[in-house]
Amino acid sequence: MCDPMKPAAPVTSTRMTEANHPAGPGPAPATHRHTFVRPDQPLFVLIGKAPEVLSVAMEIDVVLPCLNEAAALPWVLSRMPNGFRPIVADNGSTDDSAAIAAAHGARVVHVPRRGFGAACHAGLLAASSDIVCVMDADASFDPRDLPRVADPVATNAADLMLGRRITQGQGIQGTWPLHARIGNRVLAAELRRRVGVPVRDLGPMRAARREDLLALNLTDRRFGYPLEMVVRAAEAGWRIAETAVPYYPREGKSKVTGTVRGTVRTITDMRRVLASITTAPAKAPAPATAAAKPQPQPQSPAPASALTAQVTS
């Protein structure tokens, strides 16, 4: 048990090969970037019943893939809920992202290999908690909504929980470009058709158990990583669910949808993942925590009802 009179050790950057790096004290709450998100007002709630916040009773690592997000990190890290430990997977930032993250109490993992999937995987390897969340570091999500995706996993209501994006703030076009929304809908439709998972959004805010994620043996290290996670989880018979989370205008320009090159690379990576659905050599093992749920037949995809639990609490 820690001594409250003893000052905490300072937090510094670390390589992803180090383990059990102590988390430092967080800073005073920063000025809120979004004027419509205030600490004295309730956060946006789409669903009728407020979720049971069970995740605060445990420690949950939050992987934040990061490339030049110095402007967004202070807001993001200052709003991290109690019990959630940020791991900033710095993917070669040329600004002060790593230093800012460390100064705000985050563990910093340096990832020399470029790619969104490479950053996510390095953060996953560096994590030590049972449940791990992944969230963009660009302030498009409010960290205070993390319990929405973490709690269903903690209560074994779902194996993989996705945050379905509901746009907020400066209009849908300024938050989520039209071509990105269309591409997302096409991918979701392909998942419904090919593997029977009726998801409506491949949301980048998500949660699952760390050991189960590692057992999926994800190989994509670029923009196909989020899609591959859902595909492999579906093939393994996971219960995949989604719940609504607010989606805000991001800080800075998107590396995925903000440029033609980024959009083309993303489409290419995700098409490769979709093509692998029928050529995957073997199915990954189902999560150990879901032993009581029905398993899919070896030669036929699991029914949608066995794969998806629509969580509304």
Side-chain angles (χ1 to χ4, degrees), residues 172-195:
I172 190 170
Q173 188 60 35
T175 307
W176 200 358
L178 178 61
H179 65 278
R181 283 180 279 133
I182 292 175
N184 183 73
R185 289 184 180 182
V186 170
L187 288 171
E190 282 294 294
L191 282 180
R192 292 193 297 269
R193 182 176 69 86
R194 297 193 185 197
V195 292

Side-chain angles (χ1 to χ4, degrees), residues 193-216:
R193 182 176 69 86
R194 297 193 185 197
V195 292
V197 181
V199 295
R200 289 168 285 178
D201 181 19
L202 299 174
M205 179 185 278
R206 49 186 61 188
R209 296 188 183 274
R210 178 179 179 273
E211 293 301 323
D212 294 335
L213 282 175
L214 291 174
L216 291 178

Side-chain angles (χ1 to χ4, degrees), residues 22 24 28 39 66 112 138 140 191 197 199 233 239 243 247:
C66 173
D138 57 12
S140 57
L191 282 180
V197 181
V199 295
R239 297 162 301 166
T243 189
Y247 190 55

Side-chain angles (χ1 to χ4, degrees), residues 21-84:
H21 187 66
T31 301
H32 291 82
R33 185 176 68 88
H34 304 301
T35 57
F36 44 83
V37 179
R38 294 176 50 189
D40 58 338
Q41 294 179 347
L43 296 177
F44 171 87
V45 177
L46 177 67
I47 52 183
K49 183 182 177 182
E52 247 186 303
V53 182
L54 303 176
S55 48
V56 296
M58 61 181 70
E59 290 186 333
I60 294 177
D61 288 323
V62 181
V63 176
L64 298 160
C66 173
L67 177 59
N68 296 329
E69 301 292 1
L73 283 172
W75 186 86
V76 171
L77 296 175
S78 69
R79 294 180 66 80
M80 199 64 59
N82 292 333
F84 288 82

